[in-house]
Amino acid sequence: MVPWESMQELLDDVIVSMTKRMAGIDMERTSAGCPPDEGTVSALITEITGTDGFTLVYHADNALLLEIAQKMKRRPVEDADEVGEYTREYFNIICGHMISQLNRREKSSLRFSMPRYLPSPFYKTEKDQNAFVLHYQTPKGPAEIQGIYTNK
């Protein structure tokens, strides 16, 4: 089983670097959550399978996801469907980099499903002892990513 500490460190590096590279947005890791206002948050979700089973849920303020989509498209997005399309690709790239590095480092055989986009209002945090949460602040609003082991 991949240790949470190892995964958190790697995931943090990938999220910060890929968000900067793909969207030009600086994400600052914070120690405590600054939860977005309910009704202004969407989520990206993927299931990880293989050696371990866990779910990654990326909650982000809609303004942040809109900014990511527009930077990736290089022009304004047309509607919520485009926000979903571009942010799914953004999360897909993040997951791909993370899983690839974990597989090499841990000699595991993890795979992930195509991320799903759940538009707002979506904000649900569960206090789970088998979970970790990373919190971020950006100029466009807060974000958090939660990992939950599914077979622990």
Side-chain angles (χ1 to χ4, degrees):
M1 186 173 293
V2 178
W4 274 140
E5 297 78 27
S6 176
M7 189 176 323
Q8 288 179 56
E9 180 183 312
L10 177 59
L11 184 56
D12 181 49
D13 289 344
V14 171
I15 285 176
V16 170
S17 66
M18 296 309 294
T19 303
K20 180 68 172 175
R21 184 181 307 165
M22 289 187 291
I25 296 172
D26 291 315
M27 295 188 82
E28 181 181 333
R29 176 104 179 261
T30 60
S31 58
C34 177
D37 295 328
E38 194 166 323
T40 66
V41 176
S42 295
L44 297 155
I45 299 174
T46 190
E47 304 296 325
I48 313 295
T49 59
T51 328
D52 300 315
F54 59 95
T55 301
L56 285 178
V57 182
Y58 183 95
H59 295 106
D61 192 281
N62 290 333
L64 174 58
L65 294 179
L66 176 62
E67 183 75 8
I68 290 169
Q70 290 182 151
K71 295 285 178 120
M72 289 180 68
K73 186 177 179 183
R74 301 190 198 298
R75 61 181 178 272
V77 294
E78 304 292 321
D79 54 30
D81 288 340
E82 276 195 333
V83 171
E85 178 183 337
Y86 282 95
T87 57
R88 270 192 314 270
E89 182 59 22
Y90 157 76
F91 197 48
N92 189 52
I93 291 167
I94 286 172
C95 292
H97 280 267
M98 182 195 75
I99 295 301
S100 174
Q101 290 180 37
L102 276 173
N103 282 340
R104 279 194 302 271
R105 183 189 297 176
E106 302 292 328
K107 307 235 184 310
S108 57
S109 58
L110 301 173
R111 294 169 299 289
F112 65 99
S113 63
M114 179 58 94
R116 292 174 287 146
Y117 172 71
L118 301 173
S120 73
F122 185 91
Y123 188 67
K124 183 175 115 179
T125 55
E126 296 177 12
K127 302 285 185 200
D128 188 323
Q129 64 184 7
N130 295 326
F132 71 82
V133 181
L134 303 176
H135 301 277
Y136 298 92
Q137 187 61 42
T138 76
K140 291 293 182 176
E144 69 180 34
I145 189 158
Q146 182 179 36
I148 306 162
Y149 270 119
T150 53
N151 57 355
K152 208 172 189 188

